[in-house]
């Protein structure tokens, strides 16, 4: 693996290796070994053209816990506002010696372009590109599911996962559908017809418009953020109607099987796609997802930068 651009590129073996390596990284953190020397002397650049809390901080924490040097670049306040292109920004960062570039960009395909055009010699990790993919989010979701449903080992064969809400704008949904399918899980996308993408019939999953029909038969339900910043009002019912038909609330929590868990990638719109009591319930593993994100990103940086050949 040279780059991590899309979960659609991962084989089952590569995905399980990433999850197993993340378990090993998490174990080091639990033993209070806060810092590993593995990436000493390497430089990781966080190149963020879109806002982020979880992903940016998590990649920074992951790189630092592997002893890498970290350069944080936010487009806001940089020469991007003067018209500098991605190519020239990447060349500038390369001149400072980037071994890995973690990129979030509003344009779908920007990380692929960075990698394919050779604008950086470093490994490229996609931290979310437009409405396309968010592979490390899907990996941390799979890691969290594997811990709850499979004791943290192997794949997710046979697990039933509903992904609910604004699928149209969700890079999290697309990355999860590909990864969960590769790991053997059965995914059902639940959304209003206007919030399912064109061509979804070709995705390796089922679709439904009726959340109440799906909930009693799942092992996990993943609520998606309604992306107001990308939304065309014509696609969206009123907030009240959306919540009534597609929101997870206390009544719908009770419809889930006893063992089922609730995920959300964050940030949440409390009261819209998820009620406060659902978000804060004992079934919600939302903060575990955040914690697990650091171990998963440590694993991704470690495998990409060392090929798994240096001791972690
Ligand atoms: N889940 C996620 O990508 O969150 P941030 O936008 O805060 O990084």
């Amino acid at each position: 693996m040279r780059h991590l651009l899309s979960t659609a590129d991962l084989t089952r073996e590569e995905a399980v290796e990433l999850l197993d390596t993340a378990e090993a990284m998490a174990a080091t953190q639990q033993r209070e070994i806060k810092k590993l020397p593995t990436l000493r002397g390497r430089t990781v650049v966080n190149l963020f053209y879109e806002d982020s809390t979880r992903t940016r901080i998590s990649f920074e924490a992951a790189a630092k816990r592997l002893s890498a040097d970290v350069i944080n670049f936010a487009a806001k306040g940089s020469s991007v506002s003067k018209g500098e292109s991605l190519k020239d920004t990447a060349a500038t960062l390369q001149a400072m010696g980037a071994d890995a570039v973690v990129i979030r960009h509003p344009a779908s395909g920007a990380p692929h372009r960075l990698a394919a055009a050779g604008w950086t010699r470093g490994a490229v990790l996609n931290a979310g590109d437009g409405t396309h993919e968010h592979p490390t989010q899907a990996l941390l979701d799979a890691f969290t599911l594997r811990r709850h449903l499979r004791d943290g080992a192997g794949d997710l064969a046979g697990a039933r996962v509903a992904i609910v809400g604004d699928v149209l704008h969700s890079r999290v949904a697309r990355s999860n559908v590909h990864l969960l399918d590769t790991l053997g899980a059965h995914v059902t996308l639940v959304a209003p017809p206007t919030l399912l993408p064109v061509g979804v019939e070709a995705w390796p999953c089922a679709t439904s418009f009726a959340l109440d029909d799906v909930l009693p038969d799942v092992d996990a339900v993943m609520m998606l953020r309604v992306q107001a910043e990308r939304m065309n009002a014509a696609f969206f019912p009123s907030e009240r109607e959306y919540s009534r038909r597609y929101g997870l609330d206390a009544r719908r929590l009770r419809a889930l099987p006893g063992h089922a868990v609730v995920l959300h990638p964050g940030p949440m719109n409390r009261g819209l796609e998820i009620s406060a009591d659902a978000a804060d319930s004992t079934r919600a593993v939302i903060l575990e997802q955040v914690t697990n994100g650091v171990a998963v990103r440590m694993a991704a940086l470690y495998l990409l930068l060392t090929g798994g050949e240096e001791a972690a």
Side-chain angles (χ1 to χ4, degrees):
M1 223 185 347
R2 167 102 175 81
H3 306 290
L4 180 55
L5 301 175
S6 160
T7 56
D9 299 338
L10 294 175
T11 64
R12 179 193 172 282
E13 288 66 34
E14 287 170 333
V16 170
E17 183 186 24
L18 274 158
L19 299 180
D20 288 346
T21 306
E23 279 292 350
M25 294 296 175
T28 66
Q29 302 300 294
Q30 276 155 17
R31 291 201 306 269
E32 304 283 322
I33 307 171
K34 282 290 174 210
K35 232 170 162 158
L36 301 170
T38 320
L39 297 185
R40 187 171 291 150
R42 313 284 185 104
T43 299
V44 175
V45 174
N46 286 325
L47 185 56
F48 276 66
Y49 285 79
E50 265 189 356
D51 295 343
S52 168
T53 298
R54 280 147 284 270
T55 312
R56 189 183 58 74
I57 292 172
S58 176
F59 264 115
E60 181 174 354
K64 285 181 172 170
R65 287 181 195 179
L66 292 170
S67 303
D69 297 319
V70 180
I71 298 173
N72 287 316
F73 172 98
K76 273 182 206 155
S78 77
S79 289
V80 170
S81 62
K82 301 174 197 164
E84 188 160 58
S85 67
L86 174 59
K87 179 180 179 181
D88 287 339
T89 300
T92 301
L93 296 168
Q94 189 58 57
M96 296 179 198
D99 295 294
V101 177
V102 176
I103 177 170
R104 170 169 289 192
H105 202 283
S108 298
H112 298 69
R113 182 87 176 119
L114 186 61
W119 292 342
T120 174
R121 287 191 293 279
V124 178
L125 294 95
N126 181 358
D129 62 324
T131 59
H132 180 230
E133 281 238 24
H134 193 349
T136 57
Q137 177 69 45
L139 283 161
L140 75 87
D141 294 338
F143 180 95
T144 306
L145 288 172
R146 200 174 74 144
R147 279 196 160 179
H148 279 274
L149 304 177
R150 299 290 180 267
D151 291 329
D155 60 18
L156 288 166
R160 301 157 302 167
V161 182
I163 301 179
V164 183
D166 184 3
V167 179
L168 180 67
H169 301 109
S170 179
R171 52 200 179 202
V172 173
R174 188 188 300 260
S175 283
N176 263 291
V177 166
H178 287 303
L179 182 63
L180 290 170
D181 175 61
T182 297
L183 292 171
H186 303 297
V187 179
T188 302
L189 296 175
V190 186
T194 51
L195 292 181
L196 284 171
V198 173
V200 73
E201 308 76 30
W203 293 20
C205 60
T207 57
S208 170
F209 307 138
L211 181 56
D212 290 319
D213 292 351
V214 172
L215 289 180
D217 296 316
V218 296
D219 301 303
V221 57
M222 183 183 299
M223 304 308 296
L224 299 174
R225 181 172 71 88
V226 173
Q227 299 196 30
E229 74 277 23
R230 303 187 209 270
M231 190 69 73
N232 177 333
F235 294 166
F236 195 64
S238 70
E239 290 195 358
R240 189 185 160 99
E241 177 67 3
Y242 182 88
S243 262
R244 192 179 69 77
R245 296 197 56 189
Y246 294 101
L248 188 68
D249 56 13
R251 178 184 68 79
R252 288 194 166 118
L253 274 188
R254 289 194 292 275
L256 288 166
H259 67 278
V261 291
V262 173
L263 296 92
H264 192 303
M268 292 181 275
N269 295 306
R270 285 174 181 254
L272 182 52
E273 71 264 4
I274 190 165
S275 67
D277 44 8
D280 298 331
S281 78
T282 52
R283 287 166 178 277
V285 294
I286 297 164
L287 290 177
E288 276 180 51
Q289 290 173 264
V290 176
T291 302
N292 295 340
V294 178
V296 163
R297 287 165 178 132
M298 287 173 78
L301 288 168
Y302 166 69
L303 289 173
L304 288 173
L305 292 183
T306 74
E309 283 166 13
E310 288 171 33

